[in-house]
């Protein structure tokens, strides 16, 4: 797909400063929630409005935490009853803290000269490759997962699914396709990531 065929970052923006749940959020939540057992520690990284964390809290007896760097997102998630930490990705969390991690990252490839320096940009733009937020997440994921933990990452065909999987494998993670859904301009995929093992 050429740049002219895909939706621009501007088309995805509105006056809000917090990303609100859409098809990608629902697909990720629908896929990940069933993996949380009672008493598990779950992190919804980049929680935004707190939708995915709230889905975990409604469907399970897991202990759920959200994190987001956007202070307005933290307030929205807290208003949903989600315990939330203002954090840049996984940085503040201790080793092996979580049994399940879910992340719907900014993944739209965006040329530098078309970006805005605001919170909505940070919620949507994955930089030129679409992977500039995803790769640091994958660099640190094994550290915060328990040895038999599960992580779920939403990616798009615009982002380069194979490139994301290669990067995850280079960080010692198994990658499995857990769910996918066609959209008008892209294919959304949920990758199931685990420490070590072999791909499926």
């Amino acid at each position: 797909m050429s740049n002219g065929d895909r939706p621009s970052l501007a088309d995805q923006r509105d006056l809000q400063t917090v990303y609100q749940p859409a098809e990608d959020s629902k697909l990720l939540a629908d896929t990940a929630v069933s993996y949380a057992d009672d008493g598990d520690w779950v992190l919804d990284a980049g929680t935004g409005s707190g939708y995915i964390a709230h889905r975990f809290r409604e469907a399970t007896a897991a202990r759920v935490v959200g994190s987001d760097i956007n202070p307005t997102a933290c307030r929205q998630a807290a208003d949903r009853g989600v315990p939330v930490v203002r954090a840049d990705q996984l940085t503040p969390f201790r080793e092996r803290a979580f049994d399940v991690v879910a992340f719907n990252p900014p993944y739209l490839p965006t040329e530098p000269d078309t970006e805005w320096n605001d919170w909505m940009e940070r919620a949507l733009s994955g930089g030129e490759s679409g992977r500039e937020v995803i790769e640091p997440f994958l660099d640190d994921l094994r550290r915060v997962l328990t040895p038999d933990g599960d992580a779920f990452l939403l990616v798009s065909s615009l982002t380069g699914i194979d490139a994301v999987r290669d990067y995850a494998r280079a960080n010692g993670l198994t990658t499995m396709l857990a769910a996918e859904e066609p959209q008008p301009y892209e294919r959304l995929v949920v990758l199931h990531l685990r420490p070590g093992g072999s791909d499926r």
Side-chain angles (χ1 to χ4, degrees), residues 3-23:
N3 288 351
D5 294 331
R6 70 179 182 227
S8 70
L9 183 60
D11 295 332
Q12 308 299 311
R13 295 170 58 81
D14 56 27
L15 297 177
Q16 300 193 37
T17 59
V18 178
Y19 184 74
Q20 298 301 307
E23 296 86 356

Side-chain angles (χ1 to χ4, degrees), residues 66-98:
S67 69
D68 206 293
I69 196 168
N70 179 347
T72 306
C74 291
R75 286 193 292 272
Q76 283 196 18
D79 287 345
R80 280 184 183 259
V82 175
V84 64
V85 176
R86 187 177 181 200
D88 188 2
Q89 300 220 20
L90 308 174
T91 304
F93 301 109
R94 61 177 175 79
E95 293 183 8
R96 301 184 176 187
F98 297 105

Side-chain angles (χ1 to χ4, degrees), residues 1 5-7 23-24 27 104 107-109 134 153-165 176-191 200:
M1 179 179 288
D5 294 331
R6 70 179 182 227
E23 296 86 356
D24 51 1
L27 181 64
N104 183 7
Y107 58 75
L108 289 177
I134 292 170
L153 176 67
L154 190 291
V155 294
S156 163
S157 54
L158 301 177
T159 314
I161 295 165
D162 288 341
V164 173
R165 295 188 76 182
M176 297 159 278
L177 292 175
E180 60 183 300
E181 184 175 283
Q183 295 293 326
Y185 296 97
E186 62 186 333
R187 179 168 61 107
L188 297 176
V189 168
V190 177
L191 293 179
R200 288 187 297 199

Side-chain angles (χ1 to χ4, degrees), residues 14-194:
D14 56 27
L15 297 177
Q16 300 193 37
T17 59
V18 178
Y19 184 74
Q20 298 301 307
E23 296 86 356
D24 51 1
S25 310
K26 184 177 185 302
L27 181 64
L28 180 57
D30 288 347
T31 305
V33 161
S34 64
Y35 284 82
D37 293 325
D38 292 357
D40 277 355
W41 279 100
V42 175
L43 174 66
D44 177 21
T47 194
S49 69
Y51 167 78
I52 293 170
H54 185 68
R55 287 280 308 274
F56 273 103
R57 287 169 60 86
E58 282 188 322
T60 75
R63 296 167 289 188
V64 184
V65 176
S67 69
D68 206 293
I69 196 168
N70 179 347
T72 306
C74 291
R75 286 193 292 272
Q76 283 196 18
D79 287 345
R80 280 184 183 259
V82 175
V84 64
V85 176
R86 187 177 181 200
D88 188 2
Q89 300 220 20
L90 308 174
T91 304
F93 301 109
R94 61 177 175 79
E95 293 183 8
R96 301 184 176 187
F98 297 105
D99 302 288
V100 179
V101 174
F103 188 32
N104 183 7
Y107 58 75
L108 289 177
T110 311
E111 298 298 327
D113 59 358
T114 64
E115 290 193 350
W116 293 264
N117 185 24
D118 62 16
W119 286 118
M120 214 47 199
E121 172 201 323
R122 294 189 73 161
L124 294 169
S125 172
E128 289 187 80
S129 69
R131 299 186 293 276
E132 290 183 13
V133 177
I134 292 170
E135 290 178 354
F137 171 80
L138 293 173
D139 287 338
D140 204 21
L141 179 58
R142 281 191 68 184
R143 182 183 65 81
V144 301
L145 271 181
T146 58
D148 59 350
D150 299 283
F152 297 89
L153 176 67
L154 190 291
V155 294
S156 163
S157 54
L158 301 177
T159 314
I161 295 165
D162 288 341
V164 173
R165 295 188 76 182
D166 288 344
Y167 198 90
R169 284 190 287 262
N171 276 280
L173 296 161
T174 300
T175 74
M176 297 159 278
L177 292 175
E180 60 183 300
E181 184 175 283
Q183 295 293 326
Y185 296 97
E186 62 186 333
R187 179 168 61 107
L188 297 176
V189 168
V190 177
L191 293 179
H192 181 185
L193 308 170
R194 303 200 76 201

